[in-house]
Amino acid sequence: MLQILEPILEPTFHSSSHGFRPKRGAHTAIAEAKEYVGNGYGTVVDIDLSKFFDRVHHQRLLSRLGQKVGDSRILKLIGRMLKAKVVMPDGTRVSTEEGTPQGGPLSPLLSNVVLDEFDKELESRGLRFVRYADDCNIFVRSERAGRRVMDSIRRFLQSRLRLQVNEEKSKVARPEEIHFLGFRLRKPTETTKVEVHVSMRTKQRMDAKIRELTPRTWGQSPTKCIERINVYLRGWSSYFRICTVENVYRLHVWDAHIRRRLRAILVRQKKRDRYLFRHLQERGASVREAARSAYCRRGAWYRSNSVGMTVAYRNAWFHERLVSLESTWESLNPRPKLASGQTLLFDL
């Protein structure tokens, strides 16, 4: 069915719609948003639809599809899919009168059909916007214009599309205050360059994930822990590789934090002070360095950053085994070089 519907519905989608579209995604959405901010549209109307996938109106959706799809059998099949009962964890079945089933192969396409009317409304008003699924950012030049746009768009969504705006997540603010697809944009005063940073929400999630991947009571080998961390960091780096150089310092801090948490795991796994003392000596620490780390009265977290541990488990040891966020970013975003062959330095 996807093969039948996509060619029919493809021309209806606006170029600023990036969610679940061929050759588009979060990176293309950020690139377009970055262009608007660079052109002086420094206020963002951040619109988030409340429980969008659960509130799609079936009759409106089928009516929109009927304008493009002439085969009544397909429309009937889609209607049956939308109204199919949902099986709950306890085995009970619940009928659905609105919304599209999340996780279904057609849900993203059908949801975009609903919001195509929203895209056209924004386009007819001459607004500059970027939409990814139910997250939409509209770029204007002033806060006053942003408030006016927010009020009119809220009325349109509620009256025409019968959708609710999430008032807690929607706001009018500067780009650096907006969390959009995990990123935030910042344009320093008197410059044309737009910086791409991870958002504060992404930072909080990353901090929590690091704690989850490096628990205090890790009962397996450190190699297993590192392998698990690497899987996550590779995927994370692939998605956030479009961050600009100003964000590298944050990556450096995370790398150092992960290494220290791994050293703390190594300290705890030695159980007794004398075992840790012998182990550190075997790994190259001097008697004095090993003793000050092993027989310290403080806890594993303090000792993880002691001289004995950093000598026994140098950064080079981790670089051979652990994915580095900073190094991965550097490899994906090689810095320009001067004619003499020296790397051009940036202020972090």
Side-chain angles (χ1 to χ4, degrees):
M1 188 179 295
L2 283 171
Q3 294 178 347
I4 296 174
L5 289 176
E6 281 212 7
I8 298 174
L9 300 175
E10 175 67 24
T12 67
F13 291 104
H14 190 273
S15 60
S16 293
S17 172
H18 296 264
F20 313 112
R21 305 306 310 144
K23 299 181 181 180
R24 298 181 193 171
H27 291 179
T28 59
I30 295 299
E32 185 175 355
K34 184 178 176 182
E35 180 180 352
Y36 291 144
V37 174
N39 290 336
Y41 295 88
T43 300
V44 182
V45 182
D46 183 20
I47 297 177
D48 184 271
L49 299 178
S50 177
K51 298 182 179 178
F52 169 69
F53 286 94
D54 297 330
R55 292 180 174 174
V56 172
H57 194 272
H58 289 175
Q59 194 57 44
R60 283 190 56 83
L61 173 57
L62 293 174
S63 176
R64 294 282 297 173
L65 286 172
Q67 298 174 11
K68 293 288 185 178
V69 180
D71 194 331
S72 60
R73 296 173 299 175
I74 295 178
L75 297 176
K76 184 177 180 180
L77 181 60
I78 294 175
R80 293 179 63 182
M81 183 206 73
L82 292 173
K83 294 185 178 297
K85 293 184 178 180
V86 178
V87 180
M88 304 301 290
D90 59 359
T92 58
R93 296 188 176 186
V94 180
S95 59
T96 57
E97 297 299 328
E98 62 178 4
T100 59
Q102 295 194 43
L106 277 180
S107 294
L109 181 61
L110 297 178
S111 301
N112 271 334
V113 171
V114 174
L115 292 176
D116 176 57
E117 188 175 350
F118 179 46
D119 293 341
K120 290 182 176 179
E121 177 67 19
L122 296 178
E123 183 182 19
S124 67
R125 298 186 185 190
L127 296 173
R128 291 157 179 81
F129 69 96
V130 179
R131 183 175 67 80
Y132 188 97
D134 57 336
D135 290 330
C136 182
N137 280 359
I138 303 172
F139 297 85
V140 295
R141 291 188 181 276
S142 66
E143 183 177 353
R144 181 179 179 183
R147 297 292 178 189
R148 183 174 63 251
V149 169
M150 173 67 85
D151 293 339
S152 62
I153 291 301
R154 183 189 294 110
R155 289 194 298 268
F156 173 81
L157 289 170
Q158 294 176 351
S159 61
R160 287 284 297 276
L161 301 186
R162 302 184 186 181
L163 297 172
Q164 295 295 321
V165 175
N166 190 328
E167 299 294 345
E168 294 183 359
K169 294 184 179 180
S170 301
K171 60 182 178 180
V172 178
R174 303 289 298 173
E176 56 267 24
E177 301 171 6
I178 299 294
H179 167 93
F180 185 52
L181 304 177
F183 300 91
R184 66 183 178 90
L185 304 178
R186 178 176 178 271
K187 182 183 178 183
T189 308
E190 304 299 333
T191 64
T192 58
K193 180 182 178 181
V194 179
E195 302 171 0
V196 181
H197 298 261
V198 297
S199 67
M200 290 303 299
R201 197 181 307 173
T202 297
K203 178 185 177 299
Q204 293 169 359
R205 290 175 179 173
M206 185 60 163
D207 291 339
K209 192 65 178 181
I210 291 174
R211 291 193 295 270
E212 176 188 336
L213 292 173
T214 55
R216 294 192 175 200
T217 55
W218 178 257
Q220 303 179 49
S221 69
T223 301
K224 290 290 185 181
C225 186
I226 291 175
E227 289 175 355
R228 192 170 70 147
I229 295 172
N230 285 343
V231 171
Y232 180 78
L233 295 185
R234 288 191 187 99
W236 193 94
S237 296
S238 177
Y239 182 79
F240 288 98
R241 67 181 185 271
I242 63 174
C243 290
T244 53
V245 68
E246 294 79 13
N247 195 69
V248 172
Y249 178 72
R250 170 55 52 191
L251 305 182
H252 176 80
V253 171
W254 275 328
D255 281 339
H257 188 57
I258 292 172
R259 290 194 297 268
R260 183 169 181 180
R261 289 188 67 88
L262 287 171
R263 289 189 181 105
I265 289 176
L266 292 166
V267 171
R268 295 188 189 97
Q269 287 193 338
K270 292 307 170 185
K271 303 295 185 182
R272 297 181 182 273
D273 294 345
R274 63 176 179 271
Y275 297 159
L276 178 60
F277 174 71
R278 295 169 189 167
H279 179 72
L280 296 181
Q281 278 192 295
E282 292 172 358
R283 292 201 52 84
S286 67
V287 174
R288 179 181 175 85
E289 293 168 343
R292 295 187 67 176
S293 296
Y295 297 108
C296 176
R297 291 174 177 249
R298 301 205 182 185
W301 179 248
Y302 179 86
R303 289 189 282 178
S304 66
N305 199 40
S306 61
V307 176
M309 282 300 299
T310 55
V311 168
Y313 291 94
R314 299 178 183 274
N315 291 351
W317 185 87
F318 288 101
H319 289 325
E320 295 175 357
R321 297 163 176 81
L322 180 68
V323 171
S324 167
L325 295 173
E326 182 180 5
S327 299
T328 303
W329 185 92
E330 293 281 0
S331 64
L332 295 173
N333 301 273
R335 304 192 188 188
K337 294 185 177 181
L338 301 175
S340 61
Q342 296 180 341
T343 303
L344 182 63
L345 298 179
F346 293 92
D347 293 331
L348 297 182

